[in-house]
């Protein structure tokens, strides 16, 4: 009797088949990604099942080790023992059935697991909850979302998918700090660790989430992006063409530090804080002690990044949410301004600044030009003013006066006559921490062996210091080593000598921008990393006195200093006239309320402004700002009506604007409330006000709506919703809050100004 038997494959073949099944299944599974972040769960689940079924069919041969095969008949004439043949045949048959059943069970279990992972598992997971807000992890889009507990309002959406591999979906629901209900911890794909802490401020009705990403190894770029969808964002840094809000800005990812926009128009400008404010009632404060890069994608998102480094630098920031944008800003300012706010010399407000543009090559010629300019101001009845001297003119005057005062014989009657005249003028001088290598002062410092007065590098086997060369206004120069107390004392002594010689009213200290070490790809001393030089220069300016004006600021809004705005183009664009109001709102929001706007008509070019309409409209805006500054004198147009309007605005600034600033300056010093305010300050729940960039408030009682369009004699004006009425100061018309004035007439010499009037 010849029998057929089930052939059991060699064990190694079974292992190979099983491995083939496992690897094929995994490869298929890894390819099953959604077509988009918004793919439907059911469609995704269906594709998973179909793909898994195809995988099952393709790999069914993996189970050949349990299938029957015909064997060669036994050639032996001796019959085999057949007493257990039936039992064996039954067992082998059941083996095949059981194998098929096992495959089916495995298939069903896999479907169940996929269903749980894809469909049954919720897309949103609450990971932290406060009293009115909570933090949600959205699995599909890999974003952290801060919402109200009722989910009827979204404060912020933070894309964290840039950490690790964005193609791998991470559940992000296992809290490793589960014992603490106010903390969330997680390790992200073996790339970075995240810790989120919740702090509730019951008194201020705000809740803050502190997010700290820590890289696990040194090759990780940490990057979080905040969505601009349905949120108007403010703050950050001034830019070449300022906008309000900043949603329209488009800036490539770069180091977040102050730069000179004349040299780097695509960078960040003179006023910078690691603070961003959203109209949804959210603020973002980035830790001050980490290297930070920032990039902005117009109308999409802005991103915070710490570059990869051997130090494994963390990315840390705090997101605070409140019931509206005004409430959260006030609380954020309280956290940001820990130092006592000090008032600068308010006499700066009272007189206009006139920049002397004469390019002369000697002190004697400069004194002659000063006399002529002063006489012209008097002749045109433009009252008293401050004549501003640039750095070159300051050097000419100081050198001439220095040689005169140190001479043993004063034989020149001209000198004895002119020096008192210069002292009687209201002048401001301009200084910087730079010194040309061609100057006698620098040569003397090298001869005296005080190279450490300048930023230097050790050179040679003995480590002799060599001053670091950089460029300043087209000349090779060295920069003051502001970390050296002897160097700062030397600088202050020079200022005292200038004051005794010239009797200047104000000192403009420029040149804080830029880091010569980082510009030349050198490692900065720890005390000068990033924008630390600007902070130290602000301290130096404070020591000079409260009559000092600086040209850049970061973390120094509490100091008694005026800050000069960046130069603008002489045109009607956002790089020119249209950029004035966004820039003043930006400065004031960040705490820099005492600023000097750019000269009327723009000063980016040294050429005089020729467009009289641009000049008058520009003057109409800055007349309501702290200081009026001129580069092109009004008599240059040779038209009496331009001179008349100039006199009118100088008088209005002195009589109407200065008292308002003094009134609200006290409020700023007490609680940090800005003097100049956006329209949403009146009603932070009015979305119309979030994007208005051509109107502003002085305190809560004056609304100014200048004309910013060329040839326009009408403009649309929005009066924010309020519990009081608005009255036009020109015609005494009264309007309710929330009124939209369409095509409101505005003459060339007019600026619409509305004051609050109780109903």
């Amino acid at each position: 009797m010849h029998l057929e038997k089930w052939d059991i494959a060699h064990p190694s073949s079974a292992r190979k088949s099983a491995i083939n099944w496992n690897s094929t299944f995994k490869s298929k599974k890894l390819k099953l990604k959604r077509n988009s972040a918004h793919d439907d769960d059911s469609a995704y689940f269906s594709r998973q099942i179909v793909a898994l079924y195809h995988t099952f069919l393709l790999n069914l041969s993996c189970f050949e080790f349990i299938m029957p095969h015909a064997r060669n008949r036994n050639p032996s004439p001796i019959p085999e023992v057949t007493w257990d043949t039936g039992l064996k045949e039954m067992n082998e048959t059941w083996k095949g059935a059981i194998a098929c059943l096992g495959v089916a069970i495995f298939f069903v279990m896999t479907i169940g697991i996929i269903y749980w992972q894809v469909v049954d598992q919720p897309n949103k997971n609450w990971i932290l909850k406060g009293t009115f807000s909570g933090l949600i992890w959205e699995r599909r889009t890999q974003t952290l979302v801060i919402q109200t507990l009722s989910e009827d309002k979204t404060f912020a959406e933070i894309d964290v998918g840039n950490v690790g591999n964005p193609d791998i979906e991470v559940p992000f629901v296992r809290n490793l700090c589960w014992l603490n209900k106010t903390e969330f911890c997680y390790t992200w794909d073996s790339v970075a660790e995240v810790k989120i802490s919740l702090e509730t401020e019951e008194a201020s009705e705000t809740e803050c989430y502190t997010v700290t990403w820590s890289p696990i190894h040194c090759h990780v770029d940490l990057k979080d992006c905040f969505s601009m969808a349905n949120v108007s964002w403010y703050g950050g840094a001034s830019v070449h063409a300022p906008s309000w809000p900043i949603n329209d800005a488009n800036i490539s990812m770069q180091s977040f530090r102050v730069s000179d926009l004349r040299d780097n128009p695509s960078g960040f400008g003179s006023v910078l804080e690691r603070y961003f404010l959203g109209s949804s009632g959210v603020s973002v404060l980035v830790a001050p002690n980490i290297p930070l890069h920032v990039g902005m994608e117009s109308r999409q998102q802005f991103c915070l990044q710490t570059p990869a480094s051997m130090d494994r630098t963390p990315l840390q920031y705090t997101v605070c949410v409140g019931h509206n944008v005004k409430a959260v800003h006030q609380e954020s300012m309280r956290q940001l301004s820990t130092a006592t706010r000090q008032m600068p010399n308010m006499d700066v407000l009272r007189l206009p600044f006139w920049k002397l543009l004469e390019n002369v090559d000697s002190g004697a010629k400069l004194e002659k030009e000063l006399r002529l300019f002063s006489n012209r101001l008097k002749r045109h009845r433009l009252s008293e003013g401050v004549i501003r001297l640039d750095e070159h003119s300051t050097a000419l005057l100081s050198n001439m006066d220095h040689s005169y005062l140190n001479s043993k014989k004063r034989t020149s009657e001209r000198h004895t006559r002119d020096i008192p005249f210069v002292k009687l003028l209201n002048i401001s001088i301009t200084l910087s921490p730079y010194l040309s290598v061609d100057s006698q002062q620098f040569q003397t410092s090298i001869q005296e062996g005080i190279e450490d007065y300048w930023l230097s590098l050790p050179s040679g086997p003995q480590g002799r210091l060599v001053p670091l060369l950089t460029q300043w206004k087209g000349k090779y120069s060295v920069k003051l080593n502001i970390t050296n107390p002897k160097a700062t004392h030397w600088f202050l002594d020079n200022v005292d000598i200038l004051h005794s010689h010239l009797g200047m009213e104000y000192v403009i200290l420029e040149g804080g921008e830029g880091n010569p070490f980082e510009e030349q790809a050198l490692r900065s001393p720890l005390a000068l990393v990033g924008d630390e030089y600007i902070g130290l220069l602000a301290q130096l300016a404070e020591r000079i006195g409260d009559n000092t004006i600086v040209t850049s600021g970061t973390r120094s809004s509490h100091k008694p200093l005026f800050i000069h705005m960046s130069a603008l183009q002489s045109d009607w664009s956002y790089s020119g006239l249209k950029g004035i109001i966004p820039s003043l709102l930006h400065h004031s929001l960040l705490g820099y309320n005492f600023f000097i706007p750019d000269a009327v008509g723009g000063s980016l070019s040294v050429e005089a402004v020729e467009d009289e309409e641009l000049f008058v409209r520009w003057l109409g805006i800055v007349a309501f700002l702290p200081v009026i500054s001129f580069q092109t004198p009004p008599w240059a147009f040779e038209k009496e009506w331009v001179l008349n309007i100039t006199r009118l605005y100088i008088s209005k600034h002195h009589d109407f604007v200065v008292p308002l600033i003094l009134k609200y300056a006290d409020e700023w010093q007490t609680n940090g409330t800005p003097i100049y305010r956006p329209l949403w300050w009146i009603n932070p729940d009015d979305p119309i006000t979030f994007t208005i960039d051509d109107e502003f408030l002085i305190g809560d009682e004056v609304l100014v709506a200048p004309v910013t369009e060329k040839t326009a004699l009408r403009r649309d004006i929005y009066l924010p919703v309020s519990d009081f009425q608005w009255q036009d100061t020109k015609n005494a018309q009264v309007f309710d809050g929330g009124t939209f004035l369409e095509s409101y007439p505005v003459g060339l010499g007019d600026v619409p100004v509305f004051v609050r009037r109780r109903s």
Side-chain angles (χ1 to χ4, degrees), residues 242 244 565 579-590 592-593 595 597 621 624-626 676-677 695-697:
W244 181 271
M565 286 184 172
I580 300 174
I581 297 177
S583 186
L584 80 88
L585 291 174
H586 168 79
H587 278 66
S588 199
L589 184 79
L590 296 183
Y592 296 88
N593 290 270
F595 51 83
I621 299 175
F624 294 90
L625 304 189
Y676 290 90
R677 304 168 186 179
E695 302 177 35
F696 61 91
L697 299 167

Side-chain angles (χ1 to χ4, degrees), residues 128-261:
L128 284 176
K129 287 187 177 182
T131 56
F132 67 88
S133 71
L135 187 63
I136 296 174
W137 167 245
E138 283 202 353
R139 181 167 46 87
R140 269 183 243 147
T141 56
Q142 298 194 33
T143 56
L144 290 169
V145 181
I146 303 178
Q147 290 184 332
T148 54
L149 296 180
S150 57
E151 299 188 43
D152 59 346
K153 179 180 180 180
T154 298
F155 294 103
E157 295 182 15
I158 311 169
D159 179 9
V160 299
N162 300 287
V163 178
N165 186 354
D167 292 333
I168 298 177
E169 186 176 307
V170 182
F172 203 83
V173 292
R174 291 184 291 109
N175 187 1
L176 303 181
C177 300
W178 58 273
L179 288 175
N180 191 337
K181 297 299 183 182
T182 61
E183 287 188 352
F184 178 86
C185 307
Y186 187 78
T187 301
W188 184 282
D189 195 34
S190 300
V191 173
E193 295 176 347
V194 63
K195 181 178 179 180
I196 306 174
S197 302
L198 170 62
E199 296 181 7
T200 301
E201 294 284 345
E202 295 181 1
S204 61
E205 297 184 341
T206 60
E207 294 179 343
C208 296
Y209 300 82
T210 299
V211 181
T212 304
W213 288 96
S214 302
I216 293 177
H217 54 79
C218 59
H219 300 294
V220 179
D221 286 316
L222 300 174
K223 179 181 174 184
D224 285 0
C225 297
F226 291 78
S227 173
M228 292 180 176
N230 303 316
V231 182
S232 295
W233 287 97
Y234 317 97
S238 52
V239 293
H240 175 64
S243 60
W244 181 271
I246 62 174
N247 293 41
D248 289 330
N250 198 10
I251 300 176
S252 60
M253 183 65 70
Q254 59 184 283
S255 180
F256 195 58
R257 66 184 185 199
V258 174
S259 60
D260 189 339
L261 293 179

Side-chain angles (χ1 to χ4, degrees), residues 2 34 75 138 168 214 219 246 256 308 380 509 606 666 713:
H2 300 285
R34 288 181 173 82
E138 283 202 353
I168 298 177
S214 302
H219 300 294
I246 62 174
F256 195 58
H380 292 295
L509 188 56
V606 295
D666 292 333
L713 295 175

Side-chain angles (χ1 to χ4, degrees), residues 570-572 577 600-601 608-618 632 637 639 641-642 710-711 748:
S570 300
D571 57 32
W572 296 83
L577 181 142
V600 174
V609 179
E610 297 179 354
D611 185 346
E612 58 196 38
E613 182 192 1
L614 177 70
F615 181 90
V616 170
R617 291 299 193 195
W618 200 302
T632 299
F637 297 97
K639 293 183 179 179
W641 68 271
V642 176
K710 185 177 176 63
T711 71
L748 180 58

Side-chain angles (χ1 to χ4, degrees), residues 71-362:
R71 290 179 59 111
N72 294 330
R73 297 181 183 274
N74 185 5
S76 171
I78 303 173
E80 294 183 355
V81 178
T82 60
W83 61 272
D84 61 349
T85 300
L87 180 60
K88 284 193 175 188
E89 288 180 357
M90 179 183 67
N91 290 344
E92 297 296 343
T93 303
W94 278 102
K95 284 182 180 180
I98 291 171
C100 291
L101 180 61
V103 171
I105 292 173
F106 173 76
F107 187 67
V108 171
M109 289 177 63
T110 305
I111 292 174
I113 293 171
I114 294 174
Y115 180 86
W116 177 79
Q117 288 184 338
V118 178
V119 178
D120 192 49
Q121 188 177 0
N123 176 52
K124 292 184 177 181
N125 297 96
W126 289 91
I127 59 177
L128 284 176
K129 287 187 177 182
T131 56
F132 67 88
S133 71
L135 187 63
I136 296 174
W137 167 245
E138 283 202 353
R139 181 167 46 87
R140 269 183 243 147
T141 56
Q142 298 194 33
T143 56
L144 290 169
V145 181
I146 303 178
Q147 290 184 332
T148 54
L149 296 180
S150 57
E151 299 188 43
D152 59 346
K153 179 180 180 180
T154 298
F155 294 103
E157 295 182 15
I158 311 169
D159 179 9
V160 299
N162 300 287
V163 178
N165 186 354
D167 292 333
I168 298 177
E169 186 176 307
V170 182
F172 203 83
V173 292
R174 291 184 291 109
N175 187 1
L176 303 181
C177 300
W178 58 273
L179 288 175
N180 191 337
K181 297 299 183 182
T182 61
E183 287 188 352
F184 178 86
C185 307
Y186 187 78
T187 301
W188 184 282
D189 195 34
S190 300
V191 173
E193 295 176 347
V194 63
K195 181 178 179 180
I196 306 174
S197 302
L198 170 62
E199 296 181 7
T200 301
E201 294 284 345
E202 295 181 1
S204 61
E205 297 184 341
T206 60
E207 294 179 343
C208 296
Y209 300 82
T210 299
V211 181
T212 304
W213 288 96
S214 302
I216 293 177
H217 54 79
C218 59
H219 300 294
V220 179
D221 286 316
L222 300 174
K223 179 181 174 184
D224 285 0
C225 297
F226 291 78
S227 173
M228 292 180 176
N230 303 316
V231 182
S232 295
W233 287 97
Y234 317 97
S238 52
V239 293
H240 175 64
S243 60
W244 181 271
I246 62 174
N247 293 41
D248 289 330
N250 198 10
I251 300 176
S252 60
M253 183 65 70
Q254 59 184 283
S255 180
F256 195 58
R257 66 184 185 199
V258 174
S259 60
D260 189 339
L261 293 179
R262 294 174 186 263
D263 302 326
N264 182 24
S266 61
F268 298 109
S270 59
V271 167
L272 177 149
E273 295 293 342
R274 298 184 173 202
Y275 171 68
F276 298 87
L277 179 68
S279 60
S280 58
V282 59
S283 67
V284 182
L285 296 93
V286 185
N289 55 347
I290 60 171
L292 178 67
H293 288 199
V294 172
M296 299 182 184
E297 298 177 32
S298 178
R299 298 181 180 273
Q300 298 295 321
Q301 60 185 8
F302 72 90
C303 299
L304 311 175
Q305 183 181 38
T306 53
S309 68
M310 296 299 294
D311 299 329
R312 294 190 295 174
T313 306
L315 173 60
Q316 184 178 41
Y317 56 87
T318 299
V319 182
C320 293
V321 296
H323 295 295
N324 56 57
V325 60
K326 178 181 176 181
V328 76
H329 173 67
Q330 290 176 316
E331 173 59 22
S332 299
M333 284 294 100
R334 186 185 67 81
Q335 296 182 27
L336 199 62
S337 303
T338 55
T340 302
R341 286 175 285 271
Q342 303 175 63
M343 206 85 76
N345 185 350
M346 303 304 279
D347 289 340
V348 179
L349 304 173
R350 304 185 186 281
L351 297 175
F353 277 62
W354 301 87
K355 187 174 183 180
L356 188 68
L357 282 177
E358 303 300 333
N359 188 15
V360 295
D361 57 2
S362 71

